[in-house]
Amino acid sequence: MVAGIAATFGRSCEVVLHDYRDPERSVAAVAGAVTGRGVGDAMSEIGLRVLAAGVDARNEVGYLTRAQDGRLLKCTTLPLFDADGALIGALCINIDLSAINRATGVLTDLLGLSVVADAPVPATDFSGELDQVLDSVIERAERANAVPASALGREQRLELVRALHDAGVFALRGAPARVAKRLGISRTGLYNDLTTVKKDSEQS
């Protein structure tokens, strides 16, 4: 099925089958080469978000994101459940819109049409390395606050921990230790932050 879908849409399409029972090596099959991932790679931030949703995960069809090199991608993520209703994976379809955008630009110029500015599209780390995915999330927080993660104030750090928690990061093996190291705090300090975040979520 993976190969058949990719062949139907052509070389601008990539289909990735994920097994969420092993998040750090979730990629079980790949056809196409849009994101450059291979079998045995870790899930992306998108996968972490779906994993965090668990039984509440729903189809996400035709959303836009950008690869690390700036290419615009149109993506669909279809969660997969076992017979008992537990989330076990996802089928993802990624289409590189670069060629379509170039053709649209040429036609727009030829027809003398005005160009409408594109709305900002979030980037996604498809590196295949869980550490790199975590770093990407943390680096966005650093850019937003204009300070290194290790220099974030208490409230800024809590916001980052909340974002990581909502993304399902802490469900992964070894993630708390990795995040604590990146933030320059002890694991105890991180667990205290997590407790605060969970209490705030329950109260809200």
Side-chain angles (χ1 to χ4, degrees):
M1 183 171 64
V2 169
I5 294 172
T8 298
F9 288 99
R11 60 186 178 184
S12 293
C13 177
E14 172 190 79
V15 181
V16 184
L17 178 64
H18 288 277
D19 182 351
Y20 286 170
R21 293 167 295 186
D22 189 2
E24 296 193 52
R25 291 176 291 277
S26 73
V27 178
V30 182
V34 171
T35 64
R37 285 175 296 175
V39 173
D41 281 350
M43 63 176 58
S44 69
E45 299 160 61
I46 296 168
L48 289 174
R49 185 180 69 239
V50 176
L51 182 63
V55 296
D56 295 322
R58 296 293 180 266
N59 292 347
E60 298 182 31
V61 179
Y63 59 90
L64 298 178
T65 189
R66 289 193 184 276
Q68 295 98 307
D69 59 7
R71 285 175 298 130
L72 185 65
L73 309 181
K74 183 177 182 179
C75 305
T76 288
T77 300
L78 308 174
L80 303 174
F81 302 89
D82 66 14
D84 296 321
L87 178 69
I88 58 170
L91 182 68
C92 302
I93 302 170
N94 306 310
I95 297 178
D96 184 353
L97 298 180
S98 301
I100 296 173
N101 282 345
R102 285 194 296 271
T104 300
V106 171
L107 291 173
T108 297
D109 289 343
L110 288 173
L111 295 172
L113 301 177
S114 59
V115 178
V116 178
D118 292 332
V121 175
T124 299
D125 192 315
F126 293 109
S127 65
E129 294 288 339
L130 187 59
D131 283 334
Q132 182 60 48
V133 172
L134 292 177
D135 280 346
S136 293
V137 176
I138 292 171
E139 284 167 7
R140 275 202 294 275
E142 289 178 325
R143 288 195 297 272
N145 291 285
V147 293
S150 58
L152 291 175
R154 165 77 170 166
E155 290 304 315
Q156 293 170 323
R157 193 175 74 238
L158 282 175
E159 284 301 315
L160 174 56
V161 171
R162 183 175 291 107
L164 293 171
H165 174 264
D166 291 345
V169 166
F170 295 110
L172 304 176
R173 291 190 304 269
R178 291 168 173 162
V179 173
K181 182 178 180 181
R182 190 72 168 75
L183 295 179
I185 61 176
S186 67
R187 275 187 285 184
T188 300
L190 177 62
Y191 286 125
N192 288 338
D193 287 349
L194 274 172
T195 299
T196 301
V197 165
K198 290 175 182 177
K199 284 181 179 178
D200 289 345
S201 297
E202 291 170 358
Q203 290 173 356
S204 61

